[in-house]
Amino acid sequence: MLGYTDHSEKHCAIVAKRAGMILKKFGYSEHEIELAEIAGALHDIGNAINRKNHGEYGAILAYSLLEKLDIPLTDRGIIVSAIGNHDKSTWGAVDAVSAALILADKTDVRRNRVRNEEKSGFDKHDRVNYAVTNATVKVNVQKRSITLNLQIDEDICTMYEYFEIFLGRMMMCRKAAELLGAKFKLTANGSKVL
């Protein structure tokens, strides 16, 4: 209702699937893949309380839900840790599940995440997301790399504006990829950026 960038079921489904895919490509167990998918599905639940610190609020809410479902304590800890550490306020992957969640979440950049229908009312986040006409994530197991490939309409958003908003997120992706023993790469409009 406040018009923030989409954090709905669609975003959470994309993040859950992508987090699982990343761990699967790198040979993690089915159990770890499932934990990453659960964390992805629940990662933005804290937005029900507040956009600020939503990772921490989400971890608390998720713990309660997972406890009621009788999820084992160790698994609950892994899931809530990933949720609690997925945002820039906490900055960091602590294990493979949290690394996969960060990579999956921060690479979901797309035009249809913009909920504000009036271009004149776009904030800088809306403008950056709206400018992305295509985004793909490629995992190369042999090269141990995870690459976000973007096509950006520079008439809507310059590369400078993109990096003003997303540099911190891309740095989180770099550190998360390193935890998985991989490199994070970014290409924009066909040119390697990171």
Side-chain angles (χ1 to χ4, degrees):
M1 289 176 58
L2 294 173
Y4 292 128
T5 305
D6 174 50
H7 287 81
S8 70
E9 292 173 27
K10 181 175 182 175
H11 168 65
C12 292
I14 288 169
V15 171
K17 183 177 178 182
R18 188 172 290 166
M21 177 272 295
I22 290 167
L23 291 187
K24 185 174 185 173
K25 292 264 188 176
F26 285 126
Y28 284 84
S29 71
E30 287 298 320
H31 185 69
E32 290 166 300
I33 292 166
E34 183 179 37
L35 295 177
E37 290 172 343
I38 293 168
L42 294 173
H43 81 283
D44 273 339
I45 194 171
N47 282 301
I49 296 173
N50 196 327
R51 177 77 184 110
K52 185 177 180 183
N53 300 321
H54 75 279
E56 295 94 320
Y57 291 130
I60 294 166
L61 291 172
Y63 186 89
S64 179
L65 291 171
L66 296 168
E67 185 176 39
K68 288 178 182 174
L69 293 172
D70 205 27
I71 302 291
L73 181 60
T74 302
D75 291 348
R76 268 184 271 159
I78 292 168
I79 294 166
V80 300
S81 176
I83 293 169
N85 285 296
H86 87 275
D87 199 43
K88 63 185 174 190
S89 64
T90 49
W91 256 91
V94 296
D95 58 23
V97 171
S98 60
L101 175 59
I102 288 168
L103 286 158
D105 181 42
K106 303 310 176 199
T107 57
D108 186 21
V109 184
R110 54 190 158 83
R111 178 170 280 189
N112 61 0
R113 284 196 71 190
V114 177
R115 298 174 66 208
N116 183 351
E117 295 180 11
E118 293 295 322
K119 289 182 187 176
S120 62
F122 280 4
D123 68 8
K124 56 188 176 180
H125 292 91
D126 290 336
R127 197 168 46 258
V128 167
N129 277 286
Y130 193 79
V132 176
T133 58
N134 190 35
T136 58
V137 175
K138 302 286 183 194
V139 176
N140 186 318
V141 177
Q142 289 76 29
K143 293 184 178 180
R144 300 293 298 178
S145 67
I146 301 165
T147 305
L148 173 60
N149 298 300
L150 299 174
Q151 287 297 314
I152 298 174
D153 183 340
E154 292 187 69
D155 290 333
I156 297 170
C157 164
T158 67
M159 291 295 179
Y160 290 113
E161 288 175 298
Y162 176 84
F163 283 106
E164 179 185 353
I165 301 300
F166 283 94
L167 184 59
R169 295 173 192 195
M170 297 301 97
M171 297 306 292
M172 286 182 75
C173 287
R174 182 179 62 84
K175 289 181 180 188
E178 287 172 359
L179 195 141
L180 297 175
K183 291 187 182 216
F184 179 74
K185 299 179 179 184
L186 172 66
T187 65
N189 297 347
S191 297
K192 183 178 175 184
V193 180
L194 292 175

